[in-house]
Amino acid sequence: MTYKAVLCGCGAMAKGWLKALAETPSLKEAVTIVGLVDLDRATAEVRAAEFGLADAVIGTDLVAVLSETKADLLFDIVIPAARRSVVAAGLAHGCHVLSEKPMAASLEEARELRALAEQSGRLHAVVQNRRFISGVRRIRRLIEEGTLGELTGLHCDFFLGPHFGGFREQMDNVLLLDMAIHTFDAARFMSGKDPQAVYCHESNPAGSWYRHGASANAIFEFSDGVVFTYRGSWCAEGAPTSWESAWRITGTKGSLVWDGADRFEANVVAGEDGFFRPIEPAAVPEVASEADTHGHASVIESFISAIRAGTKPETDGSDNIKSLAMVFGAIDSARDRKRVTIAA
């Protein structure tokens, strides 16, 4: 079956989606873009020309385009403030909806969207594309296989200095709301644990070109006594980490460090004597499925597969709301300067 899809929000972020749809054979067969929607019609026209979508209906009114095209799917790539109305419109028209992150502009709106999805009998999932990379998948396998023993902590550093321009530089809580959810979601996924509480300090350092919240430091309490710590800044130039952060993961038998790119180092205890116990290298397993390592393409493939199977995809809103709850828990903690319990 080929699914008819409308893509709403045709700015720069849309390129990654359209590229994945055009260049992944299974998606090219499964999905046809029948409509492009943007508040600026010219932007939608540019994307149509760029990706050879001459037959797509182009418009500025999402409801009108959904009605005209009778779409099966809605790809939602709008700014967070517009997400609730866009997703609600798609669900009301019988579409399964795949959204850009974050899932919603507030936890309350996320809960509303969960309810709307359940009522409509349609899926609402979120593009957590950085969960679908080799490093994250390999570390999850390492933890699941017990190589490090019982998991005790995950610790990461995220330090970059991107100059986006545009809406991000005017956002509240820009790092936590727009970027940190990728890292928080990765920590949840790799550990297999649920977030329970957080203490966070947020700041906007001297020299920041963002209006608010370009830096944050957070301590999360996960289930089973696991601790996740996050140190991040979006206005730190000179010694960048990767976009996936730099990680140290600890267990009762050893530790792993990952640079967020291609370098892994895992060591486990190899003896019972000495001030510092001897250690030996441990192999980091390969991914269970190479198909789960292609970012946007893997997320969309997972979404399509779930629709066909009548199941929920890995990044369904019922799961992703837990990562969003980490974000808003951290924001609330930073504002109130106290430990906050996390409830999705």
Side-chain angles (χ1 to χ4, degrees):
M1 177 180 177
T2 298
Y3 296 93
K4 297 186 294 183
V6 167
L7 185 146
C8 184
C10 298
M13 293 290 288
K15 291 184 178 183
W17 292 59
L18 291 169
K19 188 172 185 288
L21 290 163
E23 296 181 358
T24 306
S26 63
L27 293 178
K28 194 171 183 179
E29 293 178 1
V31 179
T32 299
I33 298 294
V34 295
L36 294 169
V37 179
D38 198 279
L39 292 176
D40 179 7
R41 184 183 179 90
T43 299
E45 290 172 344
V46 167
R47 291 291 166 263
E50 185 177 4
F51 288 92
L53 301 172
D55 295 332
V57 175
I58 294 176
T60 60
D61 185 324
L62 174 60
V63 172
V65 174
L66 289 173
S67 298
E68 181 176 349
T69 60
K70 303 295 190 294
D72 307 300
L73 312 176
L74 173 62
F75 294 145
D76 154 36
I77 319 176
V78 299
I79 63 172
R83 180 134 300 128
R84 189 204 175 283
S85 62
V86 166
V87 174
L91 294 172
H93 277 74
C95 293
H96 297 286
V97 183
L98 184 61
S99 289
E100 186 57 69
K101 54 80 196 161
M103 178 182 172
S106 71
L107 203 51
E108 292 71 26
E109 288 188 1
R111 291 174 181 139
E112 289 177 18
L113 294 179
R114 288 298 315 123
L116 289 174
E118 290 293 331
Q119 292 164 15
S120 69
R122 294 294 183 265
L123 296 178
H124 176 218
V126 182
V127 170
Q128 291 289 170
N129 55 299
R130 287 192 167 88
R131 177 186 284 214
F132 288 85
I133 62 172
S134 176
V136 168
R137 296 275 159 170
R138 293 178 69 185
I139 291 171
R140 180 180 171 96
R141 280 197 73 187
L142 181 83
I143 292 171
E144 286 180 333
E145 291 174 1
T147 302
L148 302 181
E150 183 180 344
L151 183 68
T152 57
L154 303 96
H155 312 280
C156 78
D157 286 340
F158 177 88
F159 292 95
L160 287 170
H163 293 259
F164 291 106
F167 73 93
R168 286 181 180 84
E169 295 188 3
Q170 298 304 314
M171 284 177 64
D172 288 337
N173 315 107
V174 63
L175 179 66
L176 288 171
L177 190 58
D178 194 62
M179 184 63 209
I181 191 167
H182 282 300
T183 315
F184 295 175
D185 185 74
R188 278 190 53 236
F189 177 74
M190 291 190 294
S191 68
K193 308 299 182 183
D194 287 329
Q196 297 181 331
V198 60
Y199 180 81
C200 181
H201 175 79
E202 183 184 46
S203 64
N204 203 41
S208 172
W209 48 95
Y210 298 88
R211 187 182 64 79
H212 183 267
S215 178
N217 293 267
I219 304 169
F220 288 92
E221 300 168 32
F222 278 7
S223 53
D224 298 322
V226 173
V227 174
F228 165 49
T229 64
Y230 172 85
R231 301 190 302 179
S233 175
W234 242 357
C235 60
E237 297 180 293
T241 63
S242 82
W243 282 94
E244 318 311 331
S245 301
W247 293 80
R248 176 181 294 269
I249 296 174
T250 59
T252 55
K253 294 181 180 178
S255 297
L256 167 116
V257 292
W258 176 44
D259 67 353
D262 300 320
R263 188 180 69 82
F264 295 88
E265 182 182 343
N267 292 289
V268 295
V269 174
E272 298 181 355
D273 299 315
F275 183 71
F276 288 116
R277 298 298 193 251
I279 59 173
E280 64 183 12
V284 179
E286 295 300 323
V287 294
S289 172
E290 195 271 339
D292 290 333
T293 63
H294 302 306
H296 276 89
S298 294
V299 181
I300 302 172
E301 285 181 313
S302 172
F303 180 64
I304 298 298
S305 294
I307 294 170
R308 287 174 168 163
T311 58
K312 290 184 177 179
E314 190 175 294
T315 60
D316 184 75
S318 58
D319 177 84
N320 194 252
I321 196 171
K322 297 177 184 179
S323 297
L324 190 69
M326 292 176 70
V327 171
F328 285 111
I331 289 172
D332 290 346
S333 172
R335 180 195 63 224
D336 298 338
R337 296 182 179 272
K338 66 179 185 182
R339 176 183 177 272
V340 169
T341 299
I342 295 173

